[in-house]
């Protein structure tokens, strides 16, 4: 498919490459993975660390992937991905496509050094980070990408401290700071935007990184039917943004006219149930500062 | 989904029957997910306008578009999460409680 035509639901390949997996009902991560594989095709070679997506698809003797896939050590998703890319090239594959899928912990905490090294080597590979803002597979522990105020099992909400006291790590800009060929953020609420970014990553010559925001009904404590709704709302409230990094320039894909109220969005998730108005003010202040910076320095 | 492999689950009586290493090819499914459901989505074919939205947002890929461009649910693999019913603009999908 050429890059000029925009992908949408009708143009997508109708074969499923990720089917019969055991993820929880309404899992945002598996939705992102399923649609990414529709774009990448069954010729892509996948590497997944021991996160949710590996746990739900490689249950012996079940195999939910049509693609060839391997479970990597937790810290080395990107290293294995580039290794496979080198192997495919040595085998003489015409269009070697090696893809790493990791969660937020496997990307921002444990796997960050191998990702940094792989981007530095400049080989062609795609890395997709499905961000559900905590270590969900092991039972909802705080990761580097958990946002301020979210309750997890390691940052519970008590009388004094209300959930996580740290801010979310800015993974997208950390990756972009390497001078990567292509990096983007996406959300499962804006799926057409996401699949077009995957297509762009497939077409680019060097390393590429996509950070996709994917709600987790089990970990966040929301109804399984509102996964896509929350993914859309988080962009409309300004707490997440759709952006791209290409040729050394940041660009913003979507600028909401007015932000939707943050409180209504947060109160739909059980992990934010405890936070008070003062903390919501703090979240709004951080958001406004971030947006002021983005609107000033980034292309719109 | 039309083309996927579903092989019968092998019977294991002793440890020696379990094969060593990877024994199955990619895309080898032995179990179905139907037992997970509390509510099941039922498509009203008269209201369905064939917009592909439910097919697009299903995390399990359990909805495919039939030849006459209507949504068709694979009840063997639908987990009943309800995203399709929530996202359906013409409200053609309703969640109905499973009866055993």
């Amino acid at each position: 498919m050429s890059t000029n035509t925009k992908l949408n639901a009708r143009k997508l390949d109708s074969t499923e490459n990720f089917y019969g997996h055991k993820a929880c009902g309404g899992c945002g991560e598996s939705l992102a993975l399923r649609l990414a594989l529709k774009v990448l095709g069954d010729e892509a070679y996948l590497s997944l660390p021991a996160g949710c997506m590996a746990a739900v698809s490689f249950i012996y003797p079940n195999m939910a992937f049509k693609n060839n896939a391997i479970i990597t050590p937790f810290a080395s998703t990107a290293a294995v991905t580039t290794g496979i890319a080198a192997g495919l090239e040595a085998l003489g594959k015409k269009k070697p496509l090696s893809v790493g899928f990791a969660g937020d912990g496997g990307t921002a905490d444990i796997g960050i050094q191998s990702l940094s090294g792989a981007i530095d080597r400049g080989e062609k590979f795609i890395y997709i980070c499905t961000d559900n803002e905590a270590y969900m597979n092991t039972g909802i522990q705080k990761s580097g990408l958990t946002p301020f105020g979210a309750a997890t099992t390691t940052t519970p909400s008590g009388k004094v401290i209300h959930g996580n006291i740290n801010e979310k790590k800015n993974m997208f800009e950390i990756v972009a700071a390497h001078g990567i060929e292509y990096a983007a953020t996406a959300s499962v609420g804006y799926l057409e935007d996401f699949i077009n970014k995957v297509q762009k990553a497939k077409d680019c010559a060097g390393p590429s990184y996509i950070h996709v925001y994917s709600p987790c009904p089990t970990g966040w404590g929301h109804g399984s039917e509102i996964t896509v709704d929350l993914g859309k709302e988080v962009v409309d409230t300004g707490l997440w943004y759709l952006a791209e990094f290409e040729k050394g320039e940041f660009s913003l894909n979507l600028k909401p006219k007015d932000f939707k109220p943050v409180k209504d969005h947060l109160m739909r998730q059980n992990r934010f149930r405890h936070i008070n108005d003062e903390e919501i003010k703090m979240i709004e202040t951080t958001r406004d500062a971030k947006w002021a910076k983005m609107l000033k320095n980034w292309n719109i | 989904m039309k083309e996927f492999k579903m092989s019968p689950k092998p019977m294991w009586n002793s440890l020696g029957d379990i094969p060593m290493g990877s024994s199955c090819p990619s895309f080898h499914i032995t179990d179905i997910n139907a037992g997970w459901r509390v509510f099941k989505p039922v498509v009203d074919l008269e209201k369905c306008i064939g917009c592909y939205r439910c097919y697009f947002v299903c995390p399990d890929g359990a909805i495919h578009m039939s030849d006459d461009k209507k949504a068709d649910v694979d009840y063997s693999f639908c987990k009943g999460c309800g995203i399709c019913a929530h996202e359906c603009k013409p409200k053609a999908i309703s969640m109905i409680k499973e009866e055993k």
Side-chain angles (χ1 to χ4, degrees), chain A residues 78-128:
Chain A
V80 173
T81 310
T82 47
I84 291 174
L88 291 175
E89 220 176 301
L91 283 175
K93 291 257 178 193
K94 275 190 189 121
K95 278 191 175 172
L97 188 58
S98 183
V99 188
F101 282 100
D104 52 297
T107 304
D109 299 344
I110 305 174
I112 195 167
Q113 53 81 16
S114 70
L115 175 61
S116 179
I119 297 170
D120 188 41
R121 289 193 292 275
E123 289 158 52
K124 154 91 187 158
F125 76 103
I126 303 173
Y127 193 98
I128 297 179

Side-chain angles (χ1 to χ4, degrees), chain A residues 10 13 16 19-23 25-27 30-31 34 38 60-67 191 224-225 229, chain B residues 1 12 19 23-24 26-31 33 36 50 55-61 74 77 79 81-83 86:
Chain A
R10 281 163 204 268
D13 186 3
E16 302 287 345
Y19 201 70
H21 56 80
K22 307 290 180 218
C27 171
S30 61
L31 172 57
R34 166 184 167 243
K38 274 181 180 284
Y60 184 81
N62 299 285
M63 176 64 183
F65 286 112
K66 198 169 190 173
N67 302 53
L191 287 167
S224 61
E225 74 280 5
D229 204 359
Chain B
M1 234 263 294
W12 296 328
S23 61
C24 47
S26 285
F27 217 42
H28 168 107
I29 302 169
T30 51
D31 289 339
N33 297 336
W36 296 32
Y55 154 79
F56 201 34
V57 297
C58 178
D60 292 272
D74 181 350
F77 287 97
K79 290 171 187 157
C81 66
I83 293 183
H86 188 81

Side-chain angles (χ1 to χ4, degrees), chain A residues 141-188:
Chain A
Q141 287 87 11
K142 176 204 173 290
S143 80
L145 292 179
T146 306
F148 174 78
T152 63
T153 47
T154 45
T155 58
S157 93
K159 273 184 193 155
V160 183
I161 298 175
H162 290 171
N164 183 21
I165 51 168
N166 300 332
E167 293 291 338
K168 191 181 169 90
K169 206 188 260 187
N170 199 339
M171 199 57 211
F172 169 58
E173 280 170 59
I174 293 173
V175 168
H178 290 78
I180 192 172
E181 185 110 356
Y182 179 72
T185 62
S187 165
V188 295

Side-chain angles (χ1 to χ4, degrees), chain A residues 28 31 186-191 212-216 220 222 225-242 254 265 268-269, chain B residues 53 87:
Chain A
L31 172 57
S187 165
V188 295
Y190 289 87
L191 287 167
V212 51
Y213 184 92
S214 35
C216 167
W220 296 11
H222 63 77
E225 74 280 5
I226 59 170
T227 299
V228 175
D229 204 359
L230 280 181
K232 189 173 181 323
E233 215 175 58
V234 75
V235 177
D236 298 344
T237 53
L239 297 177
W240 186 241
Y241 49 90
L242 306 178
L254 184 85
H265 170 66
R268 295 174 83 184
Q269 307 165 37
Chain B
R53 183 69 188 161
E87 293 292 318

